[in-house]
Amino acid sequence: MALGGACSPDAHRVVFKGDIMKIGICAGHGRLGAVQTRIWEMDRCVPALSQAFAMIKSAGIDVVTPNPSIYDLDNDDALVKKVEFFNKENCDLSVEIHINAGKGNYSTCLYWDKGEKHSIVGKEVATEIEKQFESVTTWKSIGAKPQSYFGRGLYFLNKTNHPSVITEIGFKDTQIHVDWLLRRSGDILHGSSIAQALIVYAQKGLR
């Protein structure tokens, strides 16, 4: 369970009880009113979500994801509903799957920070995910980064009442990434790399 409120020093530390851990996972964005590039991103992230969810569940870890109808909402409403869902489910860790934009050539995974504080668990999980991303893609990883690294304050990271991360395996406007993501093998590798990272982290944490 998470300790403290969203901005407390202990807000992003997790206490595991025995062999219990609950993970929440979702894809980013919502379809209503979305531009085509955002819909394309969702069409790539949802299959990765399905792959990751199935693997995590098969590993015997308690995992939840919102009802798919949530993706029919507009972006802001969908985001609020996802956070509300994960908070209500008392998740120990939540993950939102995204694909970046801006014609970069790297992967990264973001975790919560504010001022001199940062999410210890979020950083550890994001680091594990980036290890997996680097092993399955042909482009570089720039590693786990706090949201402030990009000068951002992200609702998902700031409003979950437990550790959370945002994954960005690549860029939807970089052609070599697009080609990789459009393959069925890309969907499988995308989702399975996230799942493997979370399973590895869970095994480390449940001690």
Side-chain angles (χ1 to χ4, degrees):
M1 62 181 175
L3 300 179
C7 295
S8 77
D10 292 326
H12 289 70
R13 303 185 186 193
V14 173
V15 176
F16 298 105
K17 293 184 176 180
D19 60 353
I20 299 171
M21 182 182 186
K22 189 172 190 177
I23 294 175
I25 188 166
C26 67
H29 303 307
R31 293 183 184 279
L32 184 63
V35 297
Q36 187 57 43
T37 53
R38 185 166 283 179
I39 292 173
W40 187 93
E41 178 184 351
M42 292 182 64
D43 287 344
R44 302 275 53 81
C45 290
V46 169
L49 164 64
S50 298
Q51 178 74 24
F53 182 89
M55 286 184 63
I56 296 165
K57 187 174 182 179
S58 69
I61 298 171
D62 190 7
V63 58
V64 295
T65 192
N67 187 291
S69 63
I70 204 165
Y71 300 109
D72 295 330
L73 302 174
D74 72 20
N75 186 67
D76 291 349
D77 288 343
L79 178 57
V80 170
K81 293 293 185 184
K82 291 167 196 172
V83 170
E84 288 177 349
F85 174 79
F86 292 139
N87 288 346
K88 186 176 180 180
E89 286 288 327
N90 294 315
C91 292
D92 298 303
L93 171 70
S94 289
V95 179
E96 189 176 42
I97 303 171
H98 281 263
I99 300 169
N100 215 334
K103 299 185 178 181
N105 192 27
Y106 59 83
S107 68
T108 191
C109 191
L110 307 177
Y111 59 90
W112 177 89
D113 73 330
K114 184 176 182 181
E116 296 181 356
K117 303 173 186 176
H118 74 276
S119 169
I120 295 171
V121 171
K123 183 177 181 180
E124 290 174 350
V125 171
T127 298
E128 198 65 54
I129 290 172
E130 279 305 298
K131 289 179 186 176
Q132 298 297 327
F133 280 175
E134 191 165 39
S135 74
V136 301
T137 63
T138 58
W139 49 92
K140 68 180 179 179
S141 161
I142 62 169
K145 297 296 182 184
Q147 61 180 349
S148 65
Y149 179 86
F150 296 100
R152 304 179 72 182
L154 299 166
Y155 188 91
F156 189 81
L157 301 180
N158 291 332
K159 296 299 184 179
T160 45
N161 59 14
H162 51 272
S164 57
V165 299
I166 293 174
T167 73
E168 294 183 330
I169 196 170
F171 284 75
K172 57 190 172 187
D173 47 12
T174 297
Q175 194 59 49
I176 59 170
H177 299 195
V178 170
D179 293 343
W180 189 93
L181 288 160
L182 282 173
R183 300 185 190 110
R184 176 58 183 145
S185 58
D187 292 337
I188 294 170
L189 289 171
H190 188 185
S192 62
S193 58
I194 294 169
Q196 183 158 320
L198 297 177
I199 293 166
V200 167
Y201 183 78
Q203 287 180 330
K204 290 178 179 178
L206 302 177
R207 59 184 181 268

PDB file of all heavy atoms in Angstrom, residues 39-77:
ATOM      1  N   ILE A  39      -4.956   8.989 -32.293  1.00  0.00           N
ATOM      2  CA  ILE A  39      -5.679   7.730 -32.492  1.00  0.00           C
ATOM      3  C   ILE A  39      -4.704   6.633 -32.912  1.00  0.00           C
ATOM      4  O   ILE A  39      -4.791   5.490 -32.453  1.00  0.00           O
ATOM      5  CB  ILE A  39      -6.799   7.907 -33.537  1.00  0.00           C
ATOM      6  CG1 ILE A  39      -7.894   8.818 -32.957  1.00  0.00           C
ATOM      7  CG2 ILE A  39      -7.392   6.555 -33.946  1.00  0.00           C
ATOM      8  CD1 ILE A  39      -8.975   9.197 -33.946  1.00  0.00           C
ATOM      9  N   TRP A  40      -3.756   6.980 -33.785  1.00  0.00           N
ATOM     10  CA  TRP A  40      -2.732   6.011 -34.200  1.00  0.00           C
ATOM     11  C   TRP A  40      -1.950   5.506 -32.992  1.00  0.00           C
ATOM     12  O   TRP A  40      -1.685   4.307 -32.863  1.00  0.00           O
ATOM     13  CB  TRP A  40      -1.785   6.655 -35.207  1.00  0.00           C
ATOM     14  CG  TRP A  40      -0.796   5.689 -35.813  1.00  0.00           C
ATOM     15  CD1 TRP A  40      -0.940   4.995 -36.969  1.00  0.00           C
ATOM     16  CD2 TRP A  40       0.489   5.325 -35.272  1.00  0.00           C
ATOM     17  NE1 TRP A  40       0.168   4.203 -37.187  1.00  0.00           N
ATOM     18  CE2 TRP A  40       1.062   4.389 -36.165  1.00  0.00           C
ATOM     19  CE3 TRP A  40       1.203   5.680 -34.130  1.00  0.00           C
ATOM     20  CZ2 TRP A  40       2.317   3.813 -35.958  1.00  0.00           C
ATOM     21  CZ3 TRP A  40       2.454   5.103 -33.907  1.00  0.00           C
ATOM     22  CH2 TRP A  40       3.002   4.184 -34.814  1.00  0.00           C
ATOM     23  N   GLU A  41      -1.592   6.431 -32.114  1.00  0.00           N
ATOM     24  CA  GLU A  41      -0.866   6.049 -30.895  1.00  0.00           C
ATOM     25  C   GLU A  41      -1.685   5.066 -30.062  1.00  0.00           C
ATOM     26  O   GLU A  41      -1.168   4.046 -29.590  1.00  0.00           O
ATOM     27  CB  GLU A  41      -0.540   7.297 -30.077  1.00  0.00           C
ATOM     28  CG  GLU A  41       0.169   6.997 -28.764  1.00  0.00           C
ATOM     29  CD  GLU A  41       0.403   8.238 -27.919  1.00  0.00           C
ATOM     30  OE1 GLU A  41       0.174   9.363 -28.422  1.00  0.00           O
ATOM     31  OE2 GLU A  41       0.817   8.082 -26.757  1.00  0.00           O
ATOM     32  N   MET A  42      -2.967   5.365 -29.875  1.00  0.00           N
ATOM     33  CA  MET A  42      -3.822   4.466 -29.100  1.00  0.00           C
ATOM     34  C   MET A  42      -3.921   3.093 -29.755  1.00  0.00           C
ATOM     35  O   MET A  42      -3.902   2.061 -29.074  1.00  0.00           O
ATOM     36  CB  MET A  42      -5.212   5.067 -28.947  1.00  0.00           C
ATOM     37  CG  MET A  42      -5.266   6.299 -28.072  1.00  0.00           C
ATOM     38  SD  MET A  42      -6.958   6.895 -27.905  1.00  0.00           S
ATOM     39  CE  MET A  42      -7.720   5.517 -27.063  1.00  0.00           C
ATOM     40  N   ASP A  43      -4.008   3.071 -31.090  1.00  0.00           N
ATOM     41  CA  ASP A  43      -4.124   1.811 -31.813  1.00  0.00           C
ATOM     42  C   ASP A  43      -2.876   0.946 -31.659  1.00  0.00           C
ATOM     43  O   ASP A  43      -2.933  -0.270 -31.860  1.00  0.00           O
ATOM     44  CB  ASP A  43      -4.389   2.068 -33.292  1.00  0.00           C
ATOM     45  CG  ASP A  43      -5.809   2.554 -33.560  1.00  0.00           C
ATOM     46  OD1 ASP A  43      -6.667   2.407 -32.667  1.00  0.00           O
ATOM     47  OD2 ASP A  43      -6.050   3.104 -34.653  1.00  0.00           O
ATOM     48  N   ARG A  44      -1.776   1.550 -31.307  1.00  0.00           N
ATOM     49  CA  ARG A  44      -0.553   0.792 -31.055  1.00  0.00           C
ATOM     50  C   ARG A  44      -0.395   0.453 -29.566  1.00  0.00           C
ATOM     51  O   ARG A  44       0.175  -0.579 -29.221  1.00  0.00           O
ATOM     52  CB  ARG A  44       0.678   1.583 -31.519  1.00  0.00           C
ATOM     53  CG  ARG A  44       0.645   1.951 -32.985  1.00  0.00           C
ATOM     54  CD  ARG A  44       1.182   0.839 -33.898  1.00  0.00           C
ATOM     55  NE  ARG A  44       0.598  -0.469 -33.748  1.00  0.00           N
ATOM     56  CZ  ARG A  44      -0.563  -0.857 -34.296  1.00  0.00           C
ATOM     57  NH1 ARG A  44      -1.284   0.003 -34.999  1.00  0.00           N
ATOM     58  NH2 ARG A  44      -1.001  -2.082 -34.140  1.00  0.00           N
ATOM     59  N   CYS A  45      -0.881   1.299 -28.706  1.00  0.00           N
ATOM     60  CA  CYS A  45      -0.712   1.075 -27.263  1.00  0.00           C
ATOM     61  C   CYS A  45      -1.713   0.068 -26.702  1.00  0.00           C
ATOM     62  O   CYS A  45      -1.387  -0.663 -25.761  1.00  0.00           O
ATOM     63  CB  CYS A  45      -0.826   2.395 -26.502  1.00  0.00           C
ATOM     64  SG  CYS A  45       0.559   3.516 -26.776  1.00  0.00           S
ATOM     65  N   VAL A  46      -2.917   0.030 -27.246  1.00  0.00           N
ATOM     66  CA  VAL A  46      -3.929  -0.898 -26.719  1.00  0.00           C
ATOM     67  C   VAL A  46      -3.521  -2.355 -26.906  1.00  0.00           C
ATOM     68  O   VAL A  46      -3.654  -3.156 -25.974  1.00  0.00           O
ATOM     69  CB  VAL A  46      -5.316  -0.599 -27.321  1.00  0.00           C
ATOM     70  CG1 VAL A  46      -6.302  -1.710 -26.984  1.00  0.00           C
ATOM     71  CG2 VAL A  46      -5.839   0.744 -26.793  1.00  0.00           C
ATOM     72  N   PRO A  47      -2.997  -2.774 -28.082  1.00  0.00           N
ATOM     73  CA  PRO A  47      -2.508  -4.155 -28.189  1.00  0.00           C
ATOM     74  C   PRO A  47      -1.354  -4.453 -27.226  1.00  0.00           C
ATOM     75  O   PRO A  47      -1.260  -5.561 -26.684  1.00  0.00           O
ATOM     76  CB  PRO A  47      -2.057  -4.265 -29.646  1.00  0.00           C
ATOM     77  CG  PRO A  47      -2.829  -3.220 -30.366  1.00  0.00           C
ATOM     78  CD  PRO A  47      -2.958  -2.094 -29.390  1.00  0.00           C
ATOM     79  N   ALA A  48      -0.478  -3.474 -27.020  1.00  0.00           N
ATOM     80  CA  ALA A  48       0.617  -3.661 -26.063  1.00  0.00           C
ATOM     81  C   ALA A  48       0.061  -3.828 -24.651  1.00  0.00           C
ATOM     82  O   ALA A  48       0.549  -4.643 -23.865  1.00  0.00           O
ATOM     83  CB  ALA A  48       1.580  -2.473 -26.118  1.00  0.00           C
ATOM     84  N   LEU A  49      -0.977  -3.048 -24.334  1.00  0.00           N
ATOM     85  CA  LEU A  49      -1.651  -3.178 -23.046  1.00  0.00           C
ATOM     86  C   LEU A  49      -2.205  -4.587 -22.871  1.00  0.00           C
ATOM     87  O   LEU A  49      -2.026  -5.209 -21.816  1.00  0.00           O
ATOM     88  CB  LEU A  49      -2.775  -2.147 -22.948  1.00  0.00           C
ATOM     89  CG  LEU A  49      -3.831  -2.358 -21.849  1.00  0.00           C
ATOM     90  CD1 LEU A  49      -3.199  -2.255 -20.470  1.00  0.00           C
ATOM     91  CD2 LEU A  49      -4.961  -1.351 -22.014  1.00  0.00           C
ATOM     92  N   SER A  50      -2.879  -5.104 -23.878  1.00  0.00           N
ATOM     93  CA  SER A  50      -3.465  -6.443 -23.794  1.00  0.00           C
ATOM     94  C   SER A  50      -2.394  -7.497 -23.566  1.00  0.00           C
ATOM     95  O   SER A  50      -2.563  -8.416 -22.747  1.00  0.00           O
ATOM     96  CB  SER A  50      -4.237  -6.761 -25.076  1.00  0.00           C
ATOM     97  OG  SER A  50      -5.310  -5.855 -25.252  1.00  0.00           O
ATOM     98  N   GLN A  51      -1.275  -7.360 -24.275  1.00  0.00           N
ATOM     99  CA  GLN A  51      -0.168  -8.301 -24.118  1.00  0.00           C
ATOM    100  C   GLN A  51       0.408  -8.227 -22.704  1.00  0.00           C
ATOM    101  O   GLN A  51       0.637  -9.256 -22.059  1.00  0.00           O
ATOM    102  CB  GLN A  51       0.919  -7.981 -25.143  1.00  0.00           C
ATOM    103  CG  GLN A  51       2.157  -8.853 -25.059  1.00  0.00           C
ATOM    104  CD  GLN A  51       1.929 -10.248 -25.589  1.00  0.00           C
ATOM    105  OE1 GLN A  51       1.039 -10.471 -26.407  1.00  0.00           O
ATOM    106  NE2 GLN A  51       2.720 -11.198 -25.129  1.00  0.00           N
ATOM    107  N   ALA A  52       0.652  -7.019 -22.225  1.00  0.00           N
ATOM    108  CA  ALA A  52       1.229  -6.837 -20.891  1.00  0.00           C
ATOM    109  C   ALA A  52       0.289  -7.352 -19.806  1.00  0.00           C
ATOM    110  O   ALA A  52       0.712  -8.054 -18.874  1.00  0.00           O
ATOM    111  CB  ALA A  52       1.552  -5.359 -20.661  1.00  0.00           C
ATOM    112  N   PHE A  53      -0.988  -7.009 -19.924  1.00  0.00           N
ATOM    113  CA  PHE A  53      -1.976  -7.438 -18.929  1.00  0.00           C
ATOM    114  C   PHE A  53      -2.015  -8.964 -18.823  1.00  0.00           C
ATOM    115  O   PHE A  53      -1.994  -9.522 -17.723  1.00  0.00           O
ATOM    116  CB  PHE A  53      -3.353  -6.895 -19.299  1.00  0.00           C
ATOM    117  CG  PHE A  53      -4.436  -7.237 -18.311  1.00  0.00           C
ATOM    118  CD1 PHE A  53      -4.690  -6.403 -17.231  1.00  0.00           C
ATOM    119  CD2 PHE A  53      -5.191  -8.391 -18.450  1.00  0.00           C
ATOM    120  CE1 PHE A  53      -5.688  -6.717 -16.309  1.00  0.00           C
ATOM    121  CE2 PHE A  53      -6.184  -8.714 -17.542  1.00  0.00           C
ATOM    122  CZ  PHE A  53      -6.437  -7.871 -16.465  1.00  0.00           C
ATOM    123  N   ALA A  54      -2.064  -9.633 -19.968  1.00  0.00           N
ATOM    124  CA  ALA A  54      -2.147 -11.093 -19.966  1.00  0.00           C
ATOM    125  C   ALA A  54      -0.912 -11.721 -19.319  1.00  0.00           C
ATOM    126  O   ALA A  54      -1.024 -12.685 -18.541  1.00  0.00           O
ATOM    127  CB  ALA A  54      -2.311 -11.607 -21.392  1.00  0.00           C
ATOM    128  N   MET A  55       0.254 -11.183 -19.620  1.00  0.00           N
ATOM    129  CA  MET A  55       1.486 -11.738 -19.053  1.00  0.00           C
ATOM    130  C   MET A  55       1.572 -11.523 -17.548  1.00  0.00           C
ATOM    131  O   MET A  55       1.957 -12.422 -16.796  1.00  0.00           O
ATOM    132  CB  MET A  55       2.700 -11.122 -19.738  1.00  0.00           C
ATOM    133  CG  MET A  55       2.949 -11.633 -21.134  1.00  0.00           C
ATOM    134  SD  MET A  55       4.472 -10.932 -21.843  1.00  0.00           S
ATOM    135  CE  MET A  55       5.725 -11.594 -20.724  1.00  0.00           C
ATOM    136  N   ILE A  56       1.221 -10.315 -17.102  1.00  0.00           N
ATOM    137  CA  ILE A  56       1.282 -10.014 -15.662  1.00  0.00           C
ATOM    138  C   ILE A  56       0.308 -10.908 -14.903  1.00  0.00           C
ATOM    139  O   ILE A  56       0.642 -11.470 -13.860  1.00  0.00           O
ATOM    140  CB  ILE A  56       0.973  -8.523 -15.417  1.00  0.00           C
ATOM    141  CG1 ILE A  56       2.044  -7.645 -16.063  1.00  0.00           C
ATOM    142  CG2 ILE A  56       0.886  -8.228 -13.922  1.00  0.00           C
ATOM    143  CD1 ILE A  56       1.655  -6.186 -16.186  1.00  0.00           C
ATOM    144  N   LYS A  57      -0.884 -11.055 -15.461  1.00  0.00           N
ATOM    145  CA  LYS A  57      -1.892 -11.908 -14.823  1.00  0.00           C
ATOM    146  C   LYS A  57      -1.430 -13.355 -14.774  1.00  0.00           C
ATOM    147  O   LYS A  57      -1.608 -14.042 -13.754  1.00  0.00           O
ATOM    148  CB  LYS A  57      -3.212 -11.800 -15.577  1.00  0.00           C
ATOM    149  CG  LYS A  57      -4.371 -12.523 -14.898  1.00  0.00           C
ATOM    150  CD  LYS A  57      -5.684 -12.263 -15.620  1.00  0.00           C
ATOM    151  CE  LYS A  57      -6.844 -12.949 -14.894  1.00  0.00           C
ATOM    152  NZ  LYS A  57      -8.136 -12.669 -15.587  1.00  0.00           N
ATOM    153  N   SER A  58      -0.812 -13.833 -15.846  1.00  0.00           N
ATOM    154  CA  SER A  58      -0.348 -15.218 -15.886  1.00  0.00           C
ATOM    155  C   SER A  58       0.782 -15.471 -14.887  1.00  0.00           C
ATOM    156  O   SER A  58       1.027 -16.610 -14.506  1.00  0.00           O
ATOM    157  CB  SER A  58       0.110 -15.595 -17.299  1.00  0.00           C
ATOM    158  OG  SER A  58       1.300 -14.912 -17.653  1.00  0.00           O
ATOM    159  N   ALA A  59       1.454 -14.398 -14.478  1.00  0.00           N
ATOM    160  CA  ALA A  59       2.523 -14.515 -13.485  1.00  0.00           C
ATOM    161  C   ALA A  59       1.973 -14.574 -12.060  1.00  0.00           C
ATOM    162  O   ALA A  59       2.744 -14.684 -11.105  1.00  0.00           O
ATOM    163  CB  ALA A  59       3.497 -13.355 -13.613  1.00  0.00           C
ATOM    164  N   GLY A  60       0.651 -14.482 -11.922  1.00  0.00           N
ATOM    165  CA  GLY A  60       0.036 -14.577 -10.604  1.00  0.00           C
ATOM    166  C   GLY A  60      -0.005 -13.274  -9.836  1.00  0.00           C
ATOM    167  O   GLY A  60      -0.248 -13.265  -8.630  1.00  0.00           O
ATOM    168  N   ILE A  61       0.225 -12.171 -10.533  1.00  0.00           N
ATOM    169  CA  ILE A  61       0.188 -10.849  -9.901  1.00  0.00           C
ATOM    170  C   ILE A  61      -1.194 -10.253 -10.103  1.00  0.00           C
ATOM    171  O   ILE A  61      -1.772 -10.350 -11.192  1.00  0.00           O
ATOM    172  CB  ILE A  61       1.267  -9.924 -10.508  1.00  0.00           C
ATOM    173  CG1 ILE A  61       2.662 -10.507 -10.238  1.00  0.00           C
ATOM    174  CG2 ILE A  61       1.157  -8.510  -9.942  1.00  0.00           C
ATOM    175  CD1 ILE A  61       3.766  -9.792 -10.987  1.00  0.00           C
ATOM    176  N   ASP A  62      -1.725  -9.641  -9.073  1.00  0.00           N
ATOM    177  CA  ASP A  62      -3.024  -8.981  -9.162  1.00  0.00           C
ATOM    178  C   ASP A  62      -2.878  -7.756 -10.049  1.00  0.00           C
ATOM    179  O   ASP A  62      -2.109  -6.842  -9.749  1.00  0.00           O
ATOM    180  CB  ASP A  62      -3.485  -8.587  -7.753  1.00  0.00           C
ATOM    181  CG  ASP A  62      -4.935  -8.117  -7.715  1.00  0.00           C
ATOM    182  OD1 ASP A  62      -5.621  -8.221  -8.746  1.00  0.00           O
ATOM    183  OD2 ASP A  62      -5.371  -7.665  -6.634  1.00  0.00           O
ATOM    184  N   VAL A  63      -3.595  -7.737 -11.168  1.00  0.00           N
ATOM    185  CA  VAL A  63      -3.484  -6.637 -12.127  1.00  0.00           C
ATOM    186  C   VAL A  63      -4.872  -6.210 -12.568  1.00  0.00           C
ATOM    187  O   VAL A  63      -5.753  -7.034 -12.763  1.00  0.00           O
ATOM    188  CB  VAL A  63      -2.614  -7.047 -13.348  1.00  0.00           C
ATOM    189  CG1 VAL A  63      -3.176  -8.266 -14.049  1.00  0.00           C
ATOM    190  CG2 VAL A  63      -2.421  -5.888 -14.310  1.00  0.00           C
ATOM    191  N   VAL A  64      -5.064  -4.897 -12.696  1.00  0.00           N
ATOM    192  CA  VAL A  64      -6.351  -4.350 -13.113  1.00  0.00           C
ATOM    193  C   VAL A  64      -6.143  -3.344 -14.230  1.00  0.00           C
ATOM    194  O   VAL A  64      -5.083  -2.716 -14.341  1.00  0.00           O
ATOM    195  CB  VAL A  64      -7.099  -3.675 -11.938  1.00  0.00           C
ATOM    196  CG1 VAL A  64      -7.480  -4.699 -10.870  1.00  0.00           C
ATOM    197  CG2 VAL A  64      -6.274  -2.536 -11.328  1.00  0.00           C
ATOM    198  N   THR A  65      -7.175  -3.203 -15.060  1.00  0.00           N
ATOM    199  CA  THR A  65      -7.166  -2.205 -16.121  1.00  0.00           C
ATOM    200  C   THR A  65      -8.582  -1.667 -16.268  1.00  0.00           C
ATOM    201  O   THR A  65      -9.552  -2.406 -16.024  1.00  0.00           O
ATOM    202  CB  THR A  65      -6.654  -2.808 -17.449  1.00  0.00           C
ATOM    203  OG1 THR A  65      -6.382  -1.760 -18.386  1.00  0.00           O
ATOM    204  CG2 THR A  65      -7.639  -3.800 -18.048  1.00  0.00           C
ATOM    205  N   PRO A  66      -8.755  -0.407 -16.629  1.00  0.00           N
ATOM    206  CA  PRO A  66     -10.109   0.148 -16.753  1.00  0.00           C
ATOM    207  C   PRO A  66     -10.910  -0.535 -17.861  1.00  0.00           C
ATOM    208  O   PRO A  66     -10.345  -1.121 -18.785  1.00  0.00           O
ATOM    209  CB  PRO A  66      -9.856   1.625 -17.102  1.00  0.00           C
ATOM    210  CG  PRO A  66      -8.450   1.893 -16.709  1.00  0.00           C
ATOM    211  CD  PRO A  66      -7.711   0.608 -16.880  1.00  0.00           C
ATOM    212  N   ASN A  67     -12.221  -0.429 -17.783  1.00  0.00           N
ATOM    213  CA  ASN A  67     -13.093  -0.918 -18.845  1.00  0.00           C
ATOM    214  C   ASN A  67     -12.713  -0.238 -20.162  1.00  0.00           C
ATOM    215  O   ASN A  67     -12.472   0.973 -20.189  1.00  0.00           O
ATOM    216  CB  ASN A  67     -14.555  -0.603 -18.493  1.00  0.00           C
ATOM    217  CG  ASN A  67     -15.527  -1.240 -19.464  1.00  0.00           C
ATOM    218  OD1 ASN A  67     -15.610  -0.861 -20.626  1.00  0.00           O
ATOM    219  ND2 ASN A  67     -16.282  -2.207 -18.970  1.00  0.00           N
ATOM    220  N   PRO A  68     -12.636  -0.988 -21.266  1.00  0.00           N
ATOM    221  CA  PRO A  68     -12.239  -0.396 -22.553  1.00  0.00           C
ATOM    222  C   PRO A  68     -13.085   0.797 -22.988  1.00  0.00           C
ATOM    223  O   PRO A  68     -12.624   1.626 -23.782  1.00  0.00           O
ATOM    224  CB  PRO A  68     -12.397  -1.562 -23.537  1.00  0.00           C
ATOM    225  CG  PRO A  68     -12.229  -2.790 -22.696  1.00  0.00           C
ATOM    226  CD  PRO A  68     -12.832  -2.454 -21.367  1.00  0.00           C
ATOM    227  N   SER A  69     -14.307   0.912 -22.480  1.00  0.00           N
ATOM    228  CA  SER A  69     -15.164   2.043 -22.863  1.00  0.00           C
ATOM    229  C   SER A  69     -14.560   3.382 -22.447  1.00  0.00           C
ATOM    230  O   SER A  69     -14.947   4.434 -22.980  1.00  0.00           O
ATOM    231  CB  SER A  69     -16.551   1.887 -22.239  1.00  0.00           C
ATOM    232  OG  SER A  69     -16.484   1.917 -20.826  1.00  0.00           O
ATOM    233  N   ILE A  70     -13.609   3.344 -21.527  1.00  0.00           N
ATOM    234  CA  ILE A  70     -12.983   4.591 -21.059  1.00  0.00           C
ATOM    235  C   ILE A  70     -12.247   5.278 -22.212  1.00  0.00           C
ATOM    236  O   ILE A  70     -12.121   6.510 -22.237  1.00  0.00           O
ATOM    237  CB  ILE A  70     -12.038   4.312 -19.872  1.00  0.00           C
ATOM    238  CG1 ILE A  70     -11.855   5.574 -19.023  1.00  0.00           C
ATOM    239  CG2 ILE A  70     -10.679   3.786 -20.328  1.00  0.00           C
ATOM    240  CD1 ILE A  70     -11.240   5.313 -17.671  1.00  0.00           C
ATOM    241  N   TYR A  71     -11.802   4.500 -23.184  1.00  0.00           N
ATOM    242  CA  TYR A  71     -11.054   5.069 -24.305  1.00  0.00           C
ATOM    243  C   TYR A  71     -11.958   5.757 -25.321  1.00  0.00           C
ATOM    244  O   TYR A  71     -11.465   6.406 -26.244  1.00  0.00           O
ATOM    245  CB  TYR A  71     -10.211   3.978 -24.972  1.00  0.00           C
ATOM    246  CG  TYR A  71      -9.220   3.346 -24.021  1.00  0.00           C
ATOM    247  CD1 TYR A  71      -9.398   2.048 -23.566  1.00  0.00           C
ATOM    248  CD2 TYR A  71      -8.127   4.068 -23.541  1.00  0.00           C
ATOM    249  CE1 TYR A  71      -8.510   1.474 -22.670  1.00  0.00           C
ATOM    250  CE2 TYR A  71      -7.234   3.512 -22.641  1.00  0.00           C
ATOM    251  CZ  TYR A  71      -7.438   2.215 -22.207  1.00  0.00           C
ATOM    252  OH  TYR A  71      -6.556   1.651 -21.312  1.00  0.00           O
ATOM    253  N   ASP A  72     -13.265   5.629 -25.149  1.00  0.00           N
ATOM    254  CA  ASP A  72     -14.211   6.326 -26.017  1.00  0.00           C
ATOM    255  C   ASP A  72     -14.426   7.774 -25.575  1.00  0.00           C
ATOM    256  O   ASP A  72     -15.036   8.561 -26.305  1.00  0.00           O
ATOM    257  CB  ASP A  72     -15.554   5.603 -26.032  1.00  0.00           C
ATOM    258  CG  ASP A  72     -15.470   4.222 -26.649  1.00  0.00           C
ATOM    259  OD1 ASP A  72     -14.607   4.024 -27.535  1.00  0.00           O
ATOM    260  OD2 ASP A  72     -16.249   3.339 -26.247  1.00  0.00           O
ATOM    261  N   LEU A  73     -13.941   8.130 -24.392  1.00  0.00           N
ATOM    262  CA  LEU A  73     -14.080   9.494 -23.874  1.00  0.00           C
ATOM    263  C   LEU A  73     -13.041  10.403 -24.508  1.00  0.00           C
ATOM    264  O   LEU A  73     -12.116   9.943 -25.177  1.00  0.00           O
ATOM    265  CB  LEU A  73     -13.898   9.487 -22.355  1.00  0.00           C
ATOM    266  CG  LEU A  73     -14.843   8.605 -21.545  1.00  0.00           C
ATOM    267  CD1 LEU A  73     -14.436   8.607 -20.075  1.00  0.00           C
ATOM    268  CD2 LEU A  73     -16.283   9.075 -21.698  1.00  0.00           C
ATOM    269  N   ASP A  74     -13.179  11.710 -24.279  1.00  0.00           N
ATOM    270  CA  ASP A  74     -12.121  12.599 -24.750  1.00  0.00           C
ATOM    271  C   ASP A  74     -10.902  12.453 -23.838  1.00  0.00           C
ATOM    272  O   ASP A  74     -10.964  11.836 -22.776  1.00  0.00           O
ATOM    273  CB  ASP A  74     -12.597  14.049 -24.865  1.00  0.00           C
ATOM    274  CG  ASP A  74     -12.811  14.755 -23.530  1.00  0.00           C
ATOM    275  OD1 ASP A  74     -12.277  14.319 -22.497  1.00  0.00           O
ATOM    276  OD2 ASP A  74     -13.524  15.778 -23.534  1.00  0.00           O
ATOM    277  N   ASN A  75      -9.789  13.004 -24.269  1.00  0.00           N
ATOM    278  CA  ASN A  75      -8.521  12.757 -23.601  1.00  0.00           C
ATOM    279  C   ASN A  75      -8.547  13.110 -22.120  1.00  0.00           C
ATOM    280  O   ASN A  75      -8.143  12.310 -21.260  1.00  0.00           O
ATOM    281  CB  ASN A  75      -7.408  13.549 -24.294  1.00  0.00           C
ATOM    282  CG  ASN A  75      -6.045  13.226 -23.730  1.00  0.00           C
ATOM    283  OD1 ASN A  75      -5.542  12.129 -23.881  1.00  0.00           O
ATOM    284  ND2 ASN A  75      -5.438  14.212 -23.069  1.00  0.00           N
ATOM    285  N   ASP A  76      -9.023  14.311 -21.784  1.00  0.00           N
ATOM    286  CA  ASP A  76      -8.987  14.763 -20.398  1.00  0.00           C
ATOM    287  C   ASP A  76      -9.913  13.939 -19.510  1.00  0.00           C
ATOM    288  O   ASP A  76      -9.535  13.556 -18.387  1.00  0.00           O
ATOM    289  CB  ASP A  76      -9.350  16.243 -20.310  1.00  0.00           C
ATOM    290  CG  ASP A  76      -8.277  17.144 -20.907  1.00  0.00           C
ATOM    291  OD1 ASP A  76      -7.171  16.642 -21.185  1.00  0.00           O
ATOM    292  OD2 ASP A  76      -8.549  18.347 -21.099  1.00  0.00           O
ATOM    293  N   ASP A  77     -11.114  13.660 -20.001  1.00  0.00           N
ATOM    294  CA  ASP A  77     -12.060  12.862 -19.208  1.00  0.00           C
ATOM    295  C   ASP A  77     -11.534  11.449 -19.004  1.00  0.00           C
ATOM    296  O   ASP A  77     -11.652  10.874 -17.920  1.00  0.00           O
ATOM    297  CB  ASP A  77     -13.425  12.813 -19.884  1.00  0.00           C
ATOM    298  CG  ASP A  77     -14.172  14.142 -19.800  1.00  0.00           C
ATOM    299  OD1 ASP A  77     -13.795  14.984 -18.960  1.00  0.00           O
ATOM    300  OD2 ASP A  77     -15.141  14.331 -20.571  1.00  0.00           O
TER     301      ASP A  77
END
